[in-house]
Amino acid sequence: MSTLVKYECLQGVALIAINNPPVNALSHGVRNGLLDSIRRFEDDEGAQIAVLYGTGRLFISGADISEFGQSPQPPHLPDVILQIERCDKPIVAAIHGVALGGGLEVAMGAHYRVAHGQAKLGMPEVKLGLIPGAGGTQRLPRLVGVDNALKLITGGNPIDASDALQMGLIDRIATDEDVSVAGIAFAREIVLGMGPGSRVTTQPGERSQSTEVLPRRTGDMSVEPASESAMKEWRKTLTASARGEIASLVALDAIEASTTLSFAQGLQEERRLFSILMDSPERAGLIHAFFAERKVAKLAEISNVKGKDIAHIGVIGGGTMGAGIATTALLGGYTVTLIEKDTPAATAARSAIENNLDGAVKRGKLDIALRHQLEKIRLVTSTHYHSLADADLIIEAVFEDMDIKKQVFQAMDAAAKPDAILATNTSYLDINEIAACTNRPESVLGLHFFSPAHVMKLLEVVVADKTSPELIATGFSLARRLGKIAVRAGVCDGFIGNRLLTHYRTAADHMVLDGASPYQVDKALTDYGFAMGPYAVADLAGLDIGYAARQRRTPFRHPRERHPGWADDLYHEGRLGRKTGKGYYLYSAGSSRGAEDPHVEELVAQTRHEAGITPRAFSDEEIVTRYLCAMINEAARLLDDGIATRPSDIDVVLLFGYGYPRRKGGPMHTADQLGLPAVLRNIQLFAQDDDFFWQSAPLLEQLVAQDRNFNSLN
Ligand code: 3H9
């Protein structure tokens, strides 16, 4: 008997408890245990009804995702669920925490469902590039109707117990804290002919004999087909929002099959579609992203370290970044003091924060009453550093200039209490140099937020030479509370994300110099799946940012570095991107979609002419290959330099901060999929034209020589 599933019988009720921490995933052992328990229940003459529940904090999180990609071991989940459904005595699923994916499929295979009021139920498979593969696409429409099933399965988002009750997914919301107790009570009612089971076996008020209680099988129910026009509309909407992902459209096919085929045929069709997706690169990329996201906080240096308690956060600077950081801190429940240089600037910062909070209310992320409380009670704006005397953490977000940052840090150091943490939001600058100008370098770290800071999920926790492990742990716990994903980065120009961005943007600039148009580059990359191309990104960030970075690097520029002269021309013409309505693109008022501008092409042509370059054509494929190879090559150097802990951390940075298509898993996963020998061959090929930029990274060469991939370093 499996230890992962426990069976016992108490006064006629069989209790089947799944105990597979941390999330009761349906691993091979759990499937075996479930099958054994169901068979035992069938044979157990003393048991009239069974209650199936999960121990720990949730019911079942779904199939064991770590088994995907390996050859599946029987018993397969669909068969286990059929065994549950076909059992000739009723089974009640008692749900608490979450019932997701295969977990909800198990519950739908059971004959009744009771859920705790706080429980969430959902089918998130499309987020992993899959569809429900254990009967979910066939049973859900039978229980809740085609439209609800489409919403749940193609959207992938869970619903709460009250919505589940309303749509008929569950039979009752449990009032007991302990859902197994509620499940037993419900089971007893059914046995006594008082519960919903009595509809099946007895007349109202009549008591059924235990042996007469029949299971209510979802698979026996019929489905009301949706109209042809409704299905057409669904297909249109899903095609428009798919952004190259296929799973939600395949889910639509599977759900449609539930309306045209018998239950048994529908299950077969679902299995066929599920298997196709299981073998897809999209599934591999999305599951890589799932695990990469969870691995990122696992760091040996903080495994036994507790972060400092933070209640009050100071923010220096109320520009877009500072106001965004203050907003996210307020939303995270912190008290915030924001410092600006004068009263008008402080007032402007407050109103920017108010706007951000209003936006959060509009997006349903913040309750309106709480919004006022946050802004009136939790937020102080001031022009005096002494207002920071009580802050536990102070985050500097002023102009990106080393001298200014140093002055600010000295003022922060003087005003802050002795055990306060001082953080910089710099995107590129040397944090060791900043820390050295304070009397507490061990209490200085980088917290690199991404704009808009109250929306973007990524936070680079930048560790300087003297940063203590306690501070690193604090950075990670802060991120958790802010609902962000923290990635550890070392100090270098640009840390992980911006160092890579600089490099792959340079590759893009070289292609433009050699004949591609910035618009073709952007389009090739968005067609590949990036949220934006590099030139649309430049417009969003502001062309002054890129200009300042180029200026800063001018003294160190190698004579062989090629220069995108047109980018400086745009800056000098005052085209700073979206904020001035003109950059690479032209923006009409209030629009974030820019139009192409022939003037930009003229400036580019002028630069080419001055450099004596005869433009050549680039295919979209070459654009994507060069862009990715530049990214991967620099990422390999970054790993070699110890700036990133492991390849999957780099994937997380690009996925959450730089619009890398999630279905491709991140650049390091993509590199493994392409094959490192192919990546290296491309780099060597490109080096034939420019052996200064395209120097292959030693780590990449080493991995190829050893026949290893990036994943072997994870
Ligand atoms: C499916 O069901 C397919 C079927 O239709 C058909 C099959 C034939 N498997 O997220 P956390 C690990 S597809 C294996 O930090 P939380 C996770 O990696 C599945 N491992 O906790 C982590 O490990 P570690 C559909 C899993 O409290 C640990 O558990 N289901 C799984 O923030 C804690 O995870 C889903 O897509 C899993 N299914 O959130 C649900 N789930 O400690 C995916 C988690 O070593 N899971 N782990 O880093 C979730 O959404 C969240 O984990 C959950 C808990 C909400 C459950």
Side-chain angles (χ1 to χ4, degrees), residues 22-23 25 57-58 61-66 68 77-78 98 100-103 105 123-125 128 130-134 271 274 290-291 294-295 298:
V23 292
R57 61 196 170 98
L58 51 84
S61 67
D64 186 336
I65 303 170
S66 64
F68 291 175
L77 189 58
V98 300
L100 294 177
E105 290 174 301
M123 309 249 66
E125 285 88 341
L128 301 173
L130 288 169
I131 57 169
R271 198 74 204 146
F274 180 81
F290 177 89
F291 285 118
R294 282 161 177 82
K295 195 168 201 168
K298 293 196 171 79

Side-chain angles (χ1 to χ4, degrees), residues 35-49:
L35 203 57
D36 285 348
S37 297
I38 299 302
R39 287 184 179 143
R40 191 163 160 192
F41 167 54
E42 283 171 331
D43 295 343
D44 189 343
E45 286 178 3
Q48 299 160 351
I49 189 162

Side-chain angles (χ1 to χ4, degrees), residues 664-683:
K664 311 260 186 195
M668 311 317 277
H669 177 78
T670 304
D672 284 351
Q673 299 290 103
L674 294 170
L676 299 196
V679 174
L680 183 60
R681 264 196 310 278
N682 274 323
I683 291 171

